[in-house]
Amino acid sequence: MLLWKELINEANELEQSTTASKDDLKLLQIYLCRLYLTPSYENTLNLFNAEDSLAFLGIKPLQEGDTLPGTQDYLKAIRKREKSLTASLKGTPTLSFEPLLASLVKLLKPNLVEIKLLIYALLLLQHPQAKQVLRELEINEFNNSVNALAKAMRESSRMVARALDEDAMLCQIRMLEAPNRGSDIWDLIEAGPLLGQLVLAVSEDKTGQADADLEQMLFRHVCPPGPTAQHQIGDFQGVPELQLMLDYLGNALTTTARGKNILLYGKPGTGKTQLARAMAEKLAAPLYEVPTKDGHAGAMTGRIRLDAAKLAQMFLEDRLGAVLLFDEMEDAFRKSDQLAKGWFNQLLEENQAPVIWISNNIREVDPAFLRRFDFIVEVKGSGSDQEVEKLKQALSVLPVAPEWIAEAARKSWMTPALAQNLVEVAQYLPTRQITRNQQRLEALMKQRLSVMGDGRPTRILHKTPKQDFPKFRQEWINTRPTLMNVERLLRKEDTGRICLYGPPGAGKTAYAQELARRLKKPFMLNSGSDLLGMYVGQTEKNIAAMFDKAETTGAVLLLDEADTFLYNRNMAQQSWEVSAINEFMVRLERFEGVFLATTNRFDSFDSFDKAILRRFQLKVEFGYLNAEQLKDLIEACVMDKDKACSLTREQLDHFEYLTPGLVRADVQNLRLRGFKPSTGKLIEALVIEQQEQTAGVVAQPIGFLH
């Protein structure tokens, strides 16, 4: 390490035995005395709090009758004290923080000026009262402060200024806070958060380890070893290009190539962190993780964690074959405008150890940073039988019905993390209140998913409704073209984009379900209102997730109430509305499955966006029931079928605005009123329904009414 003459730049002959604490203070006093003796200020020295300042420097206060403050007598006393302190120190420094300093010097390889600045920062941390002494100097602005400090340390002003630049090594990793142009002498040197944490970690370490083990202790603080993976690599076979990622990572571990980075993203709880640990375990590589919390369980800021990652790479320079994990990446990028892009790009391009970055929300990461990653892979639940079985096993301890567990494990939004959360809560639930427990857990899941921006329903077991209406029949739906023709087209093309339009209750949803059944494909239903998010960008995210899931499962996708995304963008009142429509249009164009959209506004095509309408290959019109269809439907719904069968065309022809949905609503209304659906009662209800449907459909006079 350093000799005293290197710190004070003046040899001496006086031998003196000193303690570490005294030596720390003496060195700080030497620097402070020299600052007071800076030529530019020695003639204007004015101590407003002379006694306290002199006492801190170890100078006895002037006696009554002596020269007033601000005179040359003070300067003389300070000059004398500086010489005395310099003469009292000789040989090897015995600083109290010597082990920490030695480890940092070995790790960071700083030059002499940087070492002096580190020591100065550590001294100020030990003696915060020195700040008040510095304030007495009134040395203002960056250049003046740098010049004064350089003279005190007997170093070049240019070298000190260079070491304090925001791009300099100590400031990059936040050992020191980079000063601004307005920094004065009392805030020119500030210990950075990382240096403060290391000092605290050393002071609180109670293991009694030798100084030689200090580097390992610091290493564990900056990037501790990750825990053992809870899953095998085989559990993640649904992750895209998993083997290719393993090959890439394996090559990075066996070569000296720099700048190898993988980004895993996806919703919380999908197993991203476990995948990273499983990959490292598969490759037999030590895994170190940048912590998200400090030693007191307090959350570390994103910038501090980036600084720790930079320092961790310095540790790992001599540990080839190791992997670094940086979880919750988006926390470091929420204020990306405050990050020096050049600094971060350097972190991605020059890292010796490969890094696996993890993000729950990739939209919060600047695209300029994303372009630096070789792999960007989404991790989401695969829905495989193996995954479902693991979830069922995890949920098996819940005090609920077995069928509830089986259904919950199959839900697309059920993740290992959510399952673990339910298990932790369930230990406080009474074991015998099965139904009540299911309701409580569903309420808990609904709140949790809502906070995460997922507004999908969380009802696990649905009661089978009492059948009060006949099942769907194709002959009750009026469409052009027919269902058979549409089916024939989709079987031939295996893809299609179809707009279903017509009055409410005409059977558009039932039509889509029947089409999926005939095509032997899963059916997936989404409502336009369900896609609308509370936050900026959430709607676009929901749209993308909808199309992605449909493509993954091969389902026939029906977007009900799609009007929001069909309207002309010129009619949008908010920028986010335009963005949502654009996202919908782009994803619709790329979708390779069967997509159907419904709208009741069949008379409003002129207000729809022509660019979106052109992307639909077919537009299927749904009409009202004709007399024959209505008779057949009434006969299927009523108790007195013989009477319904005797209905004549003349009795039914005037019903021109009825749909299967409206008939069903009237049947249900009769049941709620305590009536069994009979032909007479249903006809009476349909007459009222017809009147309500045609109310207001009357030509209005032109002009104003008086």
Side-chain angles (χ1 to χ4, degrees), residues 68-102:
L68 295 175
T71 64
Q72 292 297 317
D73 289 338
Y74 278 129
L75 293 173
K76 184 178 179 181
I78 294 172
R79 191 175 291 107
K80 181 179 179 182
R81 176 61 175 167
E82 190 271 339
K83 290 182 178 180
S84 174
L85 290 167
T86 300
S88 69
L89 298 174
K90 181 183 172 94
T92 303
T94 52
L95 301 171
S96 59
F97 45 79
E98 177 67 20
L100 172 62
L101 182 63

Side-chain angles (χ1 to χ4, degrees), residues 497-499 566 595 597 612-619:
R497 296 184 289 273
I498 305 172
C499 180
L566 300 178
F595 174 81
I612 297 177
L613 290 179
R614 284 197 299 270
R615 284 161 168 79
F616 288 98
Q617 300 161 318
L618 279 179
K619 300 176 183 65

Side-chain angles (χ1 to χ4, degrees), residues 466 468-469 633-634 636-640 661-689:
K466 185 178 180 181
D468 58 2
F469 197 78
L633 183 55
I634 292 174
C637 294
V638 298
M639 307 296 293
D640 51 347
L662 294 176
V663 176
R664 179 174 184 172
D666 286 337
V667 171
Q668 292 173 334
N669 184 264
L670 288 173
R671 291 185 181 277
L672 289 173
R673 291 162 55 195
F675 298 104
K676 293 183 178 180
S678 64
T679 301
K681 289 289 185 181
L682 183 55
I683 290 293
E684 291 177 7
L686 293 177
V687 169
I688 298 173
E689 188 71 57

Side-chain angles (χ1 to χ4, degrees), residues 409-459:
R410 293 189 183 96
K411 297 297 183 182
S412 61
W413 40 260
M414 182 60 70
T415 64
L418 180 55
Q420 183 60 36
N421 176 253
L422 295 178
V423 171
E424 292 175 357
V425 173
Q427 60 182 312
Y428 305 104
L429 297 176
T431 56
R432 297 184 178 181
Q433 298 180 9
I434 302 298
T435 303
R436 179 59 176 148
N437 290 342
Q438 292 171 178
Q439 295 171 346
R440 289 168 173 166
L441 292 176
E442 287 174 9
L444 178 68
M445 289 186 293
K446 183 177 181 179
Q447 293 176 355
R448 187 178 180 93
L449 291 172
S450 177
V451 170
M452 293 163 53
D454 193 336
R456 287 176 290 182
T458 53
R459 189 73 178 270

